[in-house]
């Protein structure tokens, strides 16, 4: 299949490309679109055969449900069975933005989207290009991250092309993702809200808005074999570059000497900008130790860069687990297949 490249820098100047992306989606095609978190692989949420194309392009297990993207609040009632008060409050505060809410689904959501669950995940992205495409298509769009299943999520159009060229109808070539990690996922389908995946809308922000929240154990730890998981995506090995990643929790000096002591062919440091001074091994940085937003933005590019540079093993400096740092930690511990060294 020839994958068309549609350049959209401005939704006004590039309105023809917006219309073309929307037309492909309306006719059952699959288009990679930019969002503020990561690029997504979009298809009509109401078209099971288009959804199947998304699963096969990614090589995604059929039991892992998709997030449905809307461009305005009026699109929500059609998708869900009801809208609890806490969901209204979160939508008021954080939509459009990097927050996904899991709610009881309506009959309109095909099983292919919800993977047979009785819930559906919905979010309203803040990126203007994403919202223009959804609005022009006049359809809710189901969209997982636009990477091959298991590899790091794409934060640039170049990442998308690397994984998806020849597999999908079109890629929207647009700006790099501003946030860099996928949306926060919170379930409001039960009495007490449950954080399923941390993101740029932090646990602290959510608690301030709606009070008590249960943090799903899978946010920090590996689910046990056969254990029921609230979010099917949590049980898969995720975000993994080919490079073996080992997470190292240590203060700067100890981290640097640990990595230097393990110097060998193919050994890299996946480090903060501040760590580079004393390192005697090749390194890839993922932002500043003091600035979790910069870490989120750089992480997935850094994981891909390790592969591109032929790293065999990368010792990653562990971020703090509060604020947006929890999202960065959650992705890194999965990239490391839960291998953590505490010094
Ligand atoms: O930022 C994002 O959320 C990006 C962009 C493209 O919007 N999308 C994204 O989709 O990260 P994906 O498919 O890579 O991750 C969706 C996560 C998975 O862990 C999945 O299991 C979970 O959301 N999920 C989806 N529907 C769910 C549901 N009904 N109940 C529980 N978890 C659900
Ligand atoms: Mg994904």
């Amino acid at each position: 299949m020839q994958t068309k490249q549609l350049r959209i820098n401005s939704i006004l100047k590039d309105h023809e490309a917006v219309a073309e992306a929307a037309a492909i989606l309306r006719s059952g095609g699959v288009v990679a679109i930019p969002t503020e978190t990561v690029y997504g692989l979009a298809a009509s949420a109401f078209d099971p055969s288009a959804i199947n194309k998304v699963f096969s392009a990614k090589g995604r297990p059929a039991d892992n449900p998709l997030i449905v993207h809307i461009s305005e609040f009026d699109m929500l009632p059609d998708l869900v069975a009801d809208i609890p008060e806490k969901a209204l409050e979160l939508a008021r505060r954080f939509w459009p933005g990097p927050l996904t809410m899991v709610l009881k689904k309506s009959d309109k959501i095909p099983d292919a989207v919800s993977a047979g669950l009785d819930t559906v995940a919905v979010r309203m992205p803040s990126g203007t290009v994403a919202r223009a495409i959804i609005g022009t298509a006049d359809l809710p769009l189901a969209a997982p991250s636009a990477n091959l299943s298991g590899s790091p999520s794409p934060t640039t159009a170049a990442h998308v092309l690397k994984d998806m060229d020849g597999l999908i109808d079109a890629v929207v070539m647009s700006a790099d993702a501003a946030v860099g990690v996928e949306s926060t996922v919170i379930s409001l389908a039960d009495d007490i809200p449950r954080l399923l995946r941390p993101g740029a809308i932090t646990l602290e922000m959510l608690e301030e808005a709606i009070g008590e929240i249960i943090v799903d154990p899978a946010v920090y730890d590996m689910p046990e074999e056969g254990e029921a998981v609230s979010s099917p995506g949590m049980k898969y090995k995720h975000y993994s570059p080919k490079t073996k990643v080992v997470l190292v929790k240590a203060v700067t000096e100890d981290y640097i000497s640990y990595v230097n002591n393990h110097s060998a062919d193919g050994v890299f440091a996946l480090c903060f900008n501040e760590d580079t001074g004393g390192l005697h091994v090749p390194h890839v940085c993922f932002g500043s130790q003091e600035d979790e937003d910069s870490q989120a933005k750089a992480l997935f590019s850094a994981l891909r860069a390790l592969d591109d540079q032929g790293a065999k093993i990368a010792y990653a400096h562990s971020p703090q687990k509060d604020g947006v740092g929890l999202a960065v930690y959650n992705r890194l511990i999965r990239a490391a297949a839960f291998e953590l060294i505490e010094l």
Side-chain angles (χ1 to χ4, degrees), residues 8 32-40 125 127 129-131 133 172-175 177:
I8 307 181
I33 63 168
T35 84
E36 79 279 28
T37 55
V38 299
Y39 274 72
V129 175
R131 282 169 69 210
I133 292 169
V172 173
M173 308 290 293
S174 193

Side-chain angles (χ1 to χ4, degrees), residues 36 54 80 87 104 178 184 192 210-211 229 241 247 251 271 276 279 281 305:
E36 79 279 28
V54 169
V80 300
K104 289 265 187 297
T184 306
I192 305 181
I210 56 168
V229 283
L247 201 51
V251 296
C271 60
T276 57
L279 279 172
V281 301

Side-chain angles (χ1 to χ4, degrees), residues 298-319:
L299 179 67
F300 288 140
S301 271
L303 289 174
R304 284 175 182 256
L306 288 169
D307 282 349
D308 295 343
Q309 294 180 35
K312 294 194 189 113
I313 177 164
Y315 293 103
H317 198 169
S318 180

Side-chain angles (χ1 to χ4, degrees), residues 58 60 144-145 147 153 182 197 238-239:
K58 277 185 66 92
R60 182 178 177 102
S145 49
N147 52 288
S153 292
E182 308 87 341
R197 180 174 74 181
H238 243 109
Y239 317 110

Side-chain angles (χ1 to χ4, degrees), residues 35 37-41 58 60 64-67 69 100 102 114 117 119-121 123 143-145 181-183 185 196-197 230-234 238:
T35 84
T37 55
V38 299
Y39 274 72
L41 204 55
K58 277 185 66 92
R60 182 178 177 102
N64 193 5
L66 306 184
I67 296 173
H69 297 65
T100 295
V102 173
S114 60
L117 300 175
T119 53
V120 63
R123 90 171 183 103
S145 49
V181 292
E182 308 87 341
S183 61
V185 180
L196 302 180
R197 180 174 74 181
S230 310
S231 187
M234 297 276 197
H238 243 109

